[in-house]
Amino acid sequence: SGSARDLLDHLDYRDAVSFTGSADTANALKAHPNVARGGIRFTSEADSLNAAILGPGAVPGTPEFDAYVKSLVTEMPAKAGQKCTSIPRAIVPKALVEDGVAAVGARIRERVVVGDPRAEGVTMGALASLEQLNAVRAVVQSMLDAGGELAYGTLDSPRVKQADGSVGVAEEGAFMAPVLLSWADADAEAVHSLEAFGPVSSVIGYEDLDDAVRLAAKGAGSLVATVATNDPAAAQALVTGIAAHHGRVLVLNREDARTSTGHGSPVPHLIHGGPGRAGGGGGLGGIRSVLHHMQRTAIQGSPNMLTSVTGVWHTGAD
C-alpha cells in the first residue's frame, strides 16, 4: 500500500506482482525494465470507464427501468464514487435520455444525503482529500468544456449535514454533490476517455443495439458493464457484443434485481479485472487465484523417474 519505491528493482522472472490503482501508474510500472524485459509476471487492475446499458424495451414503468436507475444511484455515492466499479457512462436509448435524467435526479434527491458520516441519515461522505475534490472538479469542468452539459447537480459547495444534525453549505471538507452530465454528441471523446473518480456519471443516448455496443466499446476496455433488459434477444445481442471489452457483465432484470450482488460488487470467484484500459488483469478468487500465482513447469521422463521426482506413483513405474 503506497509507493512501490524501488521494489521492482529487486524482482525477476520468478516473481509475480499484482497492482490496483490508476491506469497511469499501471503503465508506469509496466514500463519498468524488470517488467518490460526482465519477465516479472505483472498483473494490473486499473481504472475504467464502466458502462450501464438500458435496453430499448426497458421504458419508464418497467421493473428494468427502475432497477437501472436504482443501480446507477447506488454506485454514484458509494465511496463518493471513488472506486473502480462505478458507472461513469449510462448508455440509454436516445428517446429515454430525458426520462433517465429525471428519474436519476429524483432518486438522488430522495436517497443521497451528503455530510458527516457520523450524522444520522447521511449516505455519502466527503472525498478522500481536498486535492481529490479539486481533481474531480477539474475533470468535470474539462468535460463541460468538451461539450457535456450539467443535467443534475452542481460544482459549487453542496449543502451538507453536520455531525450535530445541522444542515448548511459546506465551508470546509472535501464534500461534493452528485453530478450527472448529458451529451448532445454521444461520440464526444471526453466522455469516453476522462474518468472523474468521484460521484459523477454521464447519460449518453444510443440509436440502436449496434450503436449501444459501439459506444460501450469506446471505453477501450472496462472492468464491468451492466445490461438492463428483460428481452432475451436484446440481452444476447448486447452481452455478446460487449463481452470482449469487459471482464464482467451483469444482466439486470426483474428476476434478479433484488438478489444480485450488483454492478459494483463482484463475488470472489468472478474475474475482477478487464482488458485494455482496465489493465488486463484482475483480482481472482478460489482455485483460479491459486493457479494464477503458481509457476508451472512440464516434466517429461520415464514412469520411474516421474514417480521419483514428483513423489506420486505413475502408471508403469516399479
Side-chain angles (χ1 to χ4, degrees):
S1 179
S3 173
R5 300 186 178 86
D6 63 347
L7 172 66
L8 297 181
D9 295 340
H10 304 282
L11 306 182
D12 63 23
Y13 61 88
R14 296 166 296 180
D15 299 303
V17 173
S18 296
F19 167 80
T20 183
S22 72
D24 288 342
T25 303
N27 290 331
L29 295 174
K30 286 179 183 176
H32 189 283
N34 283 354
V35 176
R37 298 188 296 275
I40 292 175
R41 288 176 292 149
F42 184 83
T43 300
S44 64
E45 181 262 291
D47 54 22
S48 65
L49 290 157
N50 309 307
I53 304 174
L54 183 67
V59 297
T62 63
E64 288 68 37
F65 182 86
D66 293 341
Y68 182 87
V69 171
K70 289 177 182 178
S71 179
L72 187 59
V73 178
T74 294
E75 297 303 326
M76 287 181 73
K79 300 182 183 177
Q82 301 163 115
K83 60 195 187 83
C84 55
T85 52
S86 62
I87 305 177
R89 299 181 301 152
I91 301 175
V92 306
K94 273 193 172 180
L96 298 181
V97 168
E98 290 187 8
D99 289 326
V101 168
V104 170
R107 189 165 179 85
I108 290 175
R109 285 191 296 272
E110 176 188 346
R111 295 296 181 117
V112 180
V113 179
V114 181
D116 190 318
R118 294 170 294 185
E120 187 71 27
V122 167
T123 59
M124 187 175 94
L127 275 71
S129 65
L130 291 173
E131 290 78 11
Q132 175 76 357
L133 173 63
N134 292 333
V136 173
R137 284 175 170 169
V139 171
V140 175
Q141 187 58 58
S142 295
M143 297 173 82
L144 293 173
D145 293 341
E149 296 182 15
L150 201 60
Y152 181 87
T154 176
L155 291 182
D156 296 333
S157 296
R159 290 176 60 82
V160 299
K161 190 171 186 178
Q162 305 292 347
D164 62 5
S166 62
V167 177
V169 176
E171 296 181 357
E172 57 182 14
F175 293 102
M176 181 174 179
V179 167
L180 194 64
L181 303 177
S182 62
W183 297 79
D185 180 9
D187 286 299
E189 181 181 354
V191 72
H192 301 291
S193 62
L194 296 178
E195 184 180 20
F197 213 65
V200 180
S201 187
S202 290
V203 180
I204 308 163
Y206 70 83
E207 299 282 357
D208 53 28
L209 294 181
D210 287 341
D211 194 37
V213 169
R214 183 185 66 82
L215 291 171
K218 288 177 75 70
S222 300
L223 295 172
V224 56
T226 287
V227 171
T229 181
N230 201 44
D231 180 346
Q236 183 188 45
L238 289 170
V239 172
T240 56
I242 69 173
H245 308 282
H246 296 81
R248 176 169 58 94
V249 177
L250 166 65
V251 182
L252 192 64
N253 74 343
R254 64 196 65 188
E255 295 174 345
D256 68 346
R258 294 180 63 85
T259 58
S260 167
T261 56
H263 174 99
S265 302
V267 295
H269 281 32
L270 299 182
I271 295 173
H272 182 56
R277 179 187 174 117
L284 305 165
I287 195 65
R288 182 192 295 273
S289 181
V290 175
L291 296 177
H292 172 78
H293 288 102
M294 291 176 69
Q295 182 174 347
R296 292 168 293 168
T297 302
I299 310 295
Q300 291 177 281
S302 70
N304 281 324
M305 287 297 104
L306 292 178
T307 296
S308 178
V309 169
T310 63
V312 177
W313 183 82
H314 288 255
T315 302
D318 296 338

